[in-house]
Amino acid sequence: MKIALSCDHGGFQLKESIRAHLEEREIPYEDFGIYSAEEKRDYPYASLYACNAINDGRCTMAILCCGTGIGVSMAANKIKGIRAACCSDTYSARYTRLHNDANVLCLGGRVLGPGLANELVDAFLDTSFEGGRHARRVAQIMAIQDGELTE
């Protein structure tokens, strides 16, 4: 497992806390920035850089941060192959992996504190996709993406 980590300026402080948490857990990651509180970046680019790393095989999952988590989630879900979820509770973070096979966790730096954010990261990363009946539904999501499920 290798995590793509990225943010805009609204999510920088939270990304830094998560980066330190990943280091403590010895989970490999690649940081796609931003790299300072003074740097500015629009959230679609934060999503694009990290999700491209999933799609080209450099990383297996991503954690994206912006002010609310919503902007990076919306942008990430426009990228083929990505199933991103904006979470603010551990139940959702766990079940989006368990039932939806989400590969991107989106978090809000102006919504969550670092302690809760790290709990969400743990719930997300430590949960595997259950498969079974849920695999059919994930396949339907991907069929919508590919234009194969229209009715």
Side-chain angles (χ1 to χ4, degrees):
M1 171 173 37
K2 185 175 182 184
I3 307 304
L5 193 58
S6 190
C7 68
D8 73 354
H9 49 278
F12 173 73
Q13 294 297 334
L14 190 62
K15 182 204 69 140
E16 288 299 293
S17 172
I18 293 166
R19 185 182 56 72
H21 183 67
L22 293 174
E23 288 177 358
E24 286 175 14
R25 289 197 54 195
E26 298 181 352
I27 295 173
Y29 67 90
E30 187 170 343
D31 189 345
F32 291 90
I34 58 178
Y35 305 105
S36 77
E38 292 75 36
E39 190 177 349
K40 301 293 183 201
R41 175 195 279 163
D42 294 333
Y43 59 82
Y45 289 99
S47 299
L48 180 66
Y49 300 147
C51 293
N52 281 347
I54 292 172
N55 284 332
D56 69 19
R58 286 180 285 161
C59 296
T60 52
M61 290 189 268
I63 300 169
L64 306 175
C65 301
C66 68
T68 62
I70 297 168
V72 288
S73 175
M74 292 174 72
N77 279 312
K78 296 295 184 183
I79 300 168
K80 188 175 178 91
I82 299 301
R83 290 175 305 282
C86 181
C87 297
S88 57
D89 63 90
T90 55
Y91 184 88
S92 297
R94 184 174 299 108
Y95 274 81
T96 199
R97 287 283 308 128
L98 192 66
H99 288 182
N100 309 122
D101 198 21
N103 53 6
V104 178
L105 177 63
C106 301
L107 303 172
R110 296 179 180 140
V111 178
L112 302 170
L116 177 56
N118 290 335
E119 288 179 27
L120 300 178
V121 166
D122 290 345
F124 186 82
L125 297 181
D126 294 344
T127 303
S128 297
F129 180 49
E130 189 173 60
R133 70 184 190 277
H134 305 293
R136 181 181 79 249
R137 296 172 186 137
V138 172
Q140 291 167 350
I141 292 169
M142 303 318 288
I144 290 171
Q145 170 193 271
D146 296 335
E148 297 167 0
L149 181 64
T150 58
E151 292 185 26

